[in-house]
Amino acid sequence: MADPQGFMKYTRSDAPKRPKPERLQDWNEVYLQEAPEERNAAVQTQATRCMDCGIPFCHSGTAGCPLGNLIPEWNDLVRRGDWELASDRLHATNNFPEFTGRLCPAPCEAACVLAISHDAGGAVAIKRVEETIADMSWENGYVQPFTAAVSSGKRVAVVGSGPAGLAAAQQLTRAGHEVVVYERDDRLGGLLRYGIPEFKMEKKVLDRRLAQLRREGTKFVTGCEVGVDVTVEQLRAEFDAVVLAVGALRGRDDKSTPGRELKGIHLAMDHLVPANRACEGDGPSAISAEGKHVIVIGGGDTGADCYGTATRQGALSVTQLDQYPMPPTVRDDERSPWPVWPHILRTYPAHEEAGERRFTVAVKRFVGDDDGHVRFIELQQVRVEKDSSGRRSVIPVSDEIEILPADMVLLAIGFEGVEHMRLLDDLGISLTTRGTISCGSDWQTTAPGVFVCGDAHRGASLVVWAIAEGRSVANAVDKFLTGSSNLPSPVIPN
Ligand code: SF4
């Protein structure tokens, strides 16, 4: 039984971060590595703030956790110090809580009943509790390989090793199917490896989970582009089902702004991938912010990743531009009783470290030097309007132009769906108008026996959604192969 007055006794506190100057000297995670006893005691206090609500919005409804994480249950287990059972209950709904604990912007916290009133001290620090249970699980050996008791004799190919593909692969392997994960890159992990900077999640966290999957029997093939190195005919001949978890990495460009063709203007992933490769020991990044004035266009997660990466690379200045206003802080909008929680503010630890954020602005023109390299941007104040069909317009609100130095510009303005790949053509896959892979209510694409999950289906989204879709597609594939399934299916296709 939870302590119903815990939130009145204790205030919310987030995980402590390392000092900013120290963070900027390395690529390690921004959060402090506390001594386990100290960390656990602090997190037990935080878990005690949970009221175990009759209707726990944190893990139910449309706004809470898509995985249906059993948040009040493991909060209470942590409060009582039963970390092993807390680990069991956490892993019951989430294959990779160490990823979500670090990377998820925590819709559960925004949905927490305690977030409704600042008099209540703010939402339960669910993300901190989750990450600590996950780390404790590894430290104490609670995470062990889980091998299937019976083999189904069926074979499944998973294309893509990001969080959706890995979740699907782990679920299907545990259900007794022989699973081979194909990754076109030289290392496993997809966006977790080459998109997410080390300062948000160190790659050793990914590697220890991959080792568990291998011990359970999932097989991996890297450096292999399915559709090219393995043909569709081979795929069809060798596997009973295929899961496409190929992501949605086609970066949105800004072709309409004059000067876009100048050298020094890059899509965000062209900056993040080599930076992550440099951290893996592949040599210096080909696109580095060192000694440059950097402009990041786009106010979301990817923009913040570029921001923190540029800062660590030694940029002279970093400025992040957002067409939207600085979001309201607390209940600015009196029509809504719910406060705006930090993740909706799109504020990340990288923003505290250095640099500047500018809101309600847009680039009017990129200006280059005689060598055709960007050197300045012309900036204008704007507002964003949407018409009745949802189409966005960016409207200048003043003729005044501001000039900012810009030796490097990073476009982090979103993704437009799956990249073009021969595999999709050869399978005869249909795409949606959003550029994602269409599927039926059973996650099956227009190609029989071929399923889709994660960003490739949903469009660029949160890691927690990728894992939820990976788990759900595993249920659908298991049913397709055997006629029924006991695997969980937390979400349905959108
Ligand atoms: Fe606990 Fe908040 Fe969930 Fe209620 S909504 S059960 S207080 S975490």
Side-chain angles (χ1 to χ4, degrees):
M1 182 62 199
D3 178 350
Q5 297 185 334
F7 73 95
M8 293 194 270
K9 296 181 196 156
Y10 307 109
T11 53
R12 176 187 163 106
S13 94
D14 290 302
K17 299 181 199 114
R18 295 190 290 138
K20 284 177 248 178
E22 182 188 312
R23 276 147 60 180
L24 295 179
Q25 297 306 310
D26 62 43
W27 291 89
N28 299 339
E29 289 182 8
V30 299
Y31 291 98
L32 198 63
Q33 291 291 311
E34 297 172 282
E37 305 77 42
E38 205 176 305
R39 174 200 63 188
N40 296 353
V43 169
Q44 278 186 268
T45 301
Q46 291 303 306
T48 302
R49 295 187 67 244
C50 175
M51 300 184 291
D52 192 4
C53 303
I55 300 176
F57 291 107
C58 55
H59 83 113
S60 56
T62 51
C65 178
L67 282 165
N69 274 344
L70 305 167
I71 294 165
E73 200 174 325
W74 39 258
N75 272 339
D76 191 48
L77 289 163
V78 168
R79 179 183 73 84
R80 292 192 272 128
D82 192 341
W83 292 91
E84 186 164 5
L85 194 49
S87 169
D88 182 67
R89 303 311 292 146
L90 177 57
H91 283 91
T93 59
N94 188 349
N95 297 67
F96 314 126
E98 67 277 27
F99 302 168
T100 46
R102 286 170 169 80
L103 303 175
C104 183
C108 53
E109 291 190 10
C112 173
V113 170
L114 291 180
I116 200 166
S117 162
H118 272 253
D119 296 339
V124 174
I126 301 169
K127 194 169 141 74
R128 185 178 182 189
V129 177
E130 178 184 40
E131 184 181 344
T132 306
I133 300 171
D135 287 349
M136 273 283 279
S137 304
W138 287 96
E139 288 161 17
N140 291 298
Y142 305 151
V143 179
Q144 292 296 329
F146 177 95
T147 45
V150 182
S151 168
S152 71
K154 303 288 185 185
R155 302 190 78 224
V156 183
V158 175
V159 185
S161 66
L166 292 178
Q170 185 165 56
Q171 293 293 93
L172 287 164
T173 301
R174 289 175 173 183
H177 306 299
E178 185 182 339
V179 179
V180 181
V181 178
Y182 290 97
E183 170 56 57
R184 69 180 175 181
D185 268 321
D186 53 346
R187 297 184 180 95
L188 296 169
L191 271 184
L192 295 170
R193 173 82 57 189
Y194 289 135
I196 303 287
E198 192 86 358
F199 57 83
K200 280 173 74 176
M201 188 177 88
E202 292 173 16
K203 302 302 180 281
K204 64 185 180 192
V205 173
L206 169 62
D207 289 332
R208 70 185 177 189
R209 188 56 85 170
L210 288 168
Q212 184 205 27
L213 266 76
R214 281 197 178 91
R215 287 202 299 273
E216 290 176 348
T218 303
K219 296 185 174 61
F220 294 96
V221 180
T222 53
C224 178
E225 184 167 354
V226 180
V228 177
D229 303 308
V230 174
T231 66
V232 163
E233 291 71 32
Q234 289 169 316
L235 202 65
R236 288 289 197 191
E238 291 179 25
F239 294 95
D240 301 290
V242 177
V243 175
L244 301 176
V246 295
L249 288 169
R250 191 150 50 84
R252 181 168 291 131
D253 207 334
D254 174 19
K255 295 270 171 52
S256 61
T257 303
R260 167 62 185 93
E261 73 288 351
L262 291 167
K263 286 180 269 185
I265 303 176
H266 310 279
L267 296 181
M269 294 311 291
D270 293 340
H271 176 229
L272 293 174
V273 171
N276 275 303
R277 283 191 170 279
C279 289
E280 293 273 0
D282 289 353
S285 176
I287 298 178
S288 171
E290 187 176 1
K292 294 175 182 162
H293 293 290
V294 177
I295 301 290
V296 179
I297 300 179
D301 281 37
T302 308
D305 292 348
C306 290
Y307 190 103
T309 298
T311 307
R312 282 164 179 72
Q313 286 176 331
L316 282 180
S317 69
V318 183
T319 308
Q320 187 175 14
L321 310 181
D322 197 332
Q323 294 172 340
Y324 289 94
M326 172 93 176
T329 47
V330 179
R331 277 209 252 175
D332 274 13
D333 185 347
E334 290 300 330
R335 291 166 301 177
S336 167
W338 224 255
V340 178
W341 205 242
H343 79 270
I344 302 171
L345 297 175
R346 307 191 299 278
T347 298
Y348 303 87
H351 291 128
E352 306 161 356
E353 294 164 351
E356 187 188 7
R357 301 173 77 190
R358 301 285 303 273
F359 296 92
T360 59
V361 290
V363 176
K364 183 176 170 59
R365 193 163 72 103
F366 300 106
V367 183
D369 59 17
D370 292 343
D371 293 329
H373 197 289
V374 67
R375 291 300 172 209
F376 297 97
I377 58 166
E378 293 180 353
L379 202 62
Q380 233 178 347
Q381 288 289 324
V382 296
R383 70 169 189 275
V384 178
E385 282 188 359
K386 280 188 185 167
D387 65 19
S388 55
S389 68
R391 187 191 298 265
R392 267 173 15 108
S393 309
V394 180
I395 299 165
V397 295
S398 152
D399 291 335
E400 207 170 302
I401 298 291
E402 187 181 354
I403 307 283
L404 290 185
D407 307 309
M408 180 169 166
V409 176
L410 301 169
L411 302 176
I413 51 179
F415 296 90
E416 292 187 321
V418 294
E419 294 167 288
H420 178 257
M421 53 186 82
R422 186 168 161 189
L423 171 65
L424 303 185
D425 293 340
D426 290 356
L427 281 169
I429 296 286
S430 295
L431 299 184
T432 66
T433 51
R434 296 182 298 121
T436 53
I437 295 174
S438 61
C439 69
S441 58
D442 62 352
W443 300 93
Q444 201 163 180
T445 67
T446 45
V450 179
F451 297 75
V452 64
C453 64
D455 288 359
H457 156 257
R458 189 175 187 79
S461 185
L462 309 179
V463 64
V464 69
W465 273 102
I467 298 170
E469 292 206 358
R471 287 170 72 83
S472 300
V473 88
N475 166 285
V477 172
D478 192 31
K479 257 186 214 156
F480 173 79
L481 295 175
T482 66
S484 65
S485 179
N486 291 323
L487 294 176
S489 181
V491 292
I492 56 173
N494 58 14

